[in-house]
Amino acid sequence: MSNIVAIVGRPNVGKSTLFNRLVEKRKAIIHDESGVTRDRHYGISDWNGKVFTVIDTGGYVESSDNIFERKIKEQVILALREASIILFMVDCKDGLTSLDSDFSKIIRELDKETILVANKADNSNLEINSNEFYELGLKKIPIIPISSVNGSGTGELLDLVVNKIKNTDEKSEVELPRISILGRPNVGKSSLTNSILGEERNIVTEISGTTRDSIDTEYNLFNKNFIITDTAGIRKKSKVRENIEFYSVMRSIQAMENSDVTIIMIDAEHGFEGQDMNILSLAVKYKKGVIIMVNKWDLIEKNNSTLKEYEKLIQNKISPFDYIPIIFSSVLKKQRIFQVLEKALEIYENRNQKISTSQLNNKILPEIKKYPPPSNKGKYIKIKYITQLPTNTPTFAFFSNLPQYIRESYKRFLMNKLREHFTLEGVPITIVFRKK
């Protein structure tokens, strides 16, 4: 990511609204409440053929006793270090504030390409108010009045941005495997992301609901690039009372829908609970690859049979989804965290593999010959051949003389035989029966 544009400024100046407009998606949660954005949020923007990365950040407050404002400040500083261009956003309606003046000192010290973005210039009078920000004394830094809500001035802003960046061949996120991390609050999802990346990518506290948005990060492991997505904790609907938490949960579910593989993280001390099963059922419904990651395994007192007993307990609860791997780990001790990612990439390959018709027939037809479908009302069912359909997830068509008479129990038998002969661990598969 060579061309990085960071949107920074004090709270509630409209940074997330501009971010969403630049990436042309509603990726960041927008709310009137201060401090909604906490972590760095990345997206891709394309203007006049030039592609660049955009970072949304939380509101910068210089001195604060609030734990989140202190953590947000650290995240903003990291974004500023990464950025090649800074969009310092201020508010034309509120005018110049002491928080703007404090932040301008940081901008002077950095000495990086900067554009002062005077947001909420929704009419000509407010646009004139943007001149007030010359008092910040940021010489040679252009001031561009915009309205991130209705889009006025953003074209001029983008023209200025792309004139300052280099040509790029950045790869679109869509082309990369996507791995999402989901689970209940406080199971260690953000800590896992930070441990993998080796930096404080996402804010971590002991307070439930610290992560509010779904945060994408591009990563390279085992010579493979992929996107890992940290998400907000998903509680039961009955416990979600705030609008912001509702939107956070919706973003988490959307992150699952957009991903190829979902890591469902549980807390070893609490075990596999009903809400974990709800998350797992959603992942299977959306036909995602799935891993169950048991975190905080280091806190469990163990004997020689503890792991097997715990694993059997989970498998009983998730039946019939017994194809899902379970990995016991500790993010704090960094035990088997990379094994989880290695398994996720294997499942991605399993989910995208194409099995030839000849392979399917050579392996499965002999199994069908040994145990043919039971007859129905004196009618004998014969399965003639099998093929994989050209779908996004593994779907297999069994062609038969009487497909309508094949029972559900025999369908499960065929699924088990497919898993026995082919590498389909962690992947939901679909079987359809067609007449031949």
Side-chain angles (χ1 to χ4, degrees):
M1 295 189 294
S2 56
N3 293 318
I4 300 177
V5 177
I7 306 171
V8 295
R10 65 176 178 82
N12 272 18
V13 292
K15 297 183 294 297
S16 293
T17 307
L18 178 61
F19 174 83
N20 285 346
R21 184 168 288 279
L22 295 186
V23 302
E24 298 183 282
K25 294 177 183 175
R26 290 185 64 84
K27 289 188 73 174
I29 295 175
I30 300 169
H31 198 275
D32 291 336
E33 181 184 317
S34 176
V36 171
T37 303
R38 290 174 175 171
D39 301 287
R40 286 170 287 155
H41 203 161
Y42 290 71
I44 301 293
S45 183
D46 186 340
W47 186 254
N48 290 343
K50 285 192 176 180
V51 178
F52 55 94
T53 301
V54 187
I55 311 178
D56 182 25
T57 64
Y60 183 96
V61 178
E62 180 58 42
S63 300
S64 175
D65 295 328
N66 181 289
I67 183 172
F68 289 118
E69 288 184 343
R70 292 202 310 270
K71 292 281 188 180
I72 288 168
K73 178 182 172 182
E74 293 170 7
Q75 292 288 310
V76 174
I77 295 298
L78 289 169
L80 289 170
R81 288 175 184 166
E82 277 189 280
S84 48
I85 299 172
I86 297 167
L87 302 184
F88 175 15
M89 185 172 272
V90 291
D91 186 327
C92 287
K93 285 184 179 177
D94 292 345
L96 183 61
T97 69
S98 58
L99 289 174
D100 296 323
S101 298
D102 289 340
F103 195 70
S104 68
K105 296 172 186 174
I106 305 291
I107 297 297
R108 283 194 201 90
E109 290 171 4
L110 285 169
D111 192 28
K112 285 190 174 184
E113 287 279 7
T114 304
I115 301 169
L116 191 64
V117 182
N119 192 30
K120 305 183 186 178
D122 300 328
N123 56 52
S124 56
N125 289 332
L126 288 170
E127 192 173 326
I128 291 168
N129 289 353
S130 65
N131 294 321
E132 179 183 0
F133 295 103
Y134 283 109
E135 292 180 28
L136 291 170
L138 298 171
K139 297 177 181 178
K140 298 181 181 178
I141 291 179
I143 298 177
I144 306 293
I146 71 160
S147 171
S148 56
V149 171
N150 63 40
S152 66
T154 54
E156 184 183 351
L157 172 63
L158 283 166
D159 286 340
L160 192 55
V161 167
V162 298
N163 284 337
K164 293 176 180 290
I165 67 176
K166 301 171 184 176
N167 288 324
T168 177
D169 296 321
E170 287 193 42
K171 189 182 288 185
S172 169
E173 292 178 7
V174 179
E175 299 173 15
L176 300 177
R178 301 186 72 93
I179 300 168
S180 59
I181 308 169
L182 278 88
R184 288 175 282 115
N186 274 23
V187 293
K189 299 181 296 297
S190 296
S191 297
L192 173 63
T193 305
N194 290 346
S195 293
I196 290 166
L197 300 176
E199 63 169 287
E200 181 108 353
R201 172 64 181 87
N202 301 325
I203 293 173
V204 176
T205 74
E206 294 180 359
I207 300 169
S208 179
T210 295
T211 302
R212 285 179 163 174
D213 224 327
S214 298
I215 311 299
D216 290 347
T217 307
E218 187 174 333
Y219 189 66
N220 181 284
L221 186 68
F222 312 119
N223 295 318
K224 293 180 180 178
N225 288 314
F226 55 91
I227 304 291
I228 189 164
T229 306
D230 180 26
T231 65
I234 302 177
R235 297 197 295 168
K236 290 181 180 178
K237 283 184 181 179
S238 59
K239 295 185 177 181
V240 177
R241 308 202 186 282
E242 296 179 358
N243 283 338
I244 292 172
E245 185 178 356
F246 171 78
Y247 290 122
S248 295
V249 170
M250 289 300 99
R251 292 297 169 89
S252 297
I253 293 170
Q254 187 180 49
M256 176 197 287
E257 289 185 57
N258 293 337
S259 67
D260 301 295
V261 179
T262 295
I263 298 169
I264 298 176
M265 184 182 281
I266 70 169
D267 186 322
E269 291 186 302
H270 291 95
F272 193 87
E273 298 183 336
Q275 182 63 357
D276 301 312
M277 191 65 208
N278 291 336
I279 297 168
L280 173 58
S281 298
L282 270 179
V284 173
K285 176 186 174 183
Y286 295 134
K287 301 188 183 303
K288 304 302 175 184
V290 184
I291 302 172
I292 294 173
M293 177 179 177
V294 183
N295 189 29
K296 307 181 186 179
W297 188 240
D298 57 308
L299 302 180
I300 301 297
E301 290 187 18
K302 308 174 191 68
N303 57 41
N304 291 337
S305 60
T306 304
L307 189 145
K308 287 185 178 178
E309 288 172 0
Y310 202 110
E311 187 175 43
K312 189 174 181 180
L313 192 66
I314 294 175
Q315 285 173 338
N316 288 338
K317 288 185 176 181
I318 67 173
S319 178
F321 308 130
D322 54 0
Y323 59 85
I324 294 172
I326 302 167
I327 297 179
F328 295 82
S329 67
S330 167
V331 172
L332 186 64
K333 302 289 186 181
K334 294 193 174 182
Q335 293 174 348
R336 291 178 287 279
I337 59 173
F338 291 101
Q339 184 181 333
V340 172
L341 279 182
E342 186 176 19
K343 181 62 70 176
L345 291 170
E346 283 177 17
I347 290 172
Y348 172 80
E349 297 298 333
N350 294 347
R351 187 171 178 265
N352 288 279
Q353 70 178 308
K354 302 301 175 189
I355 304 169
S356 70
T357 300
S358 60
Q359 284 180 299
L360 284 167
N361 287 282
N362 289 340
K363 294 292 185 181
I364 305 301
L365 285 182
E367 299 286 2
I368 293 170
K369 189 175 180 180
K370 285 182 193 175
Y371 300 98
S375 61
N376 191 309
K377 297 178 182 179
K379 296 179 179 179
Y380 292 93
I381 303 162
K382 185 173 182 181
I383 294 174
K384 298 178 179 180
Y385 74 96
I386 313 114
T387 190
Q388 184 174 355
L389 300 180
T391 55
N392 291 330
T393 57
T395 303
F396 303 94
F398 286 73
F399 289 85
S400 166
N401 60 332
L402 297 167
Q404 69 272 26
Y405 292 127
I406 297 175
R407 297 173 185 174
E408 192 64 30
S409 58
Y410 196 76
K411 179 179 177 181
R412 288 195 295 272
F413 165 78
L414 293 174
M415 281 187 167
N416 290 335
K417 289 302 173 184
L418 282 166
R419 292 190 184 283
E420 186 181 311
H421 287 286
F422 302 102
T423 53
L424 293 164
E425 183 186 26
V427 180
I429 60 176
T430 304
I431 286 180
V432 295
F433 296 99
R434 293 182 176 176
K435 188 170 178 62
K436 176 64 177 177

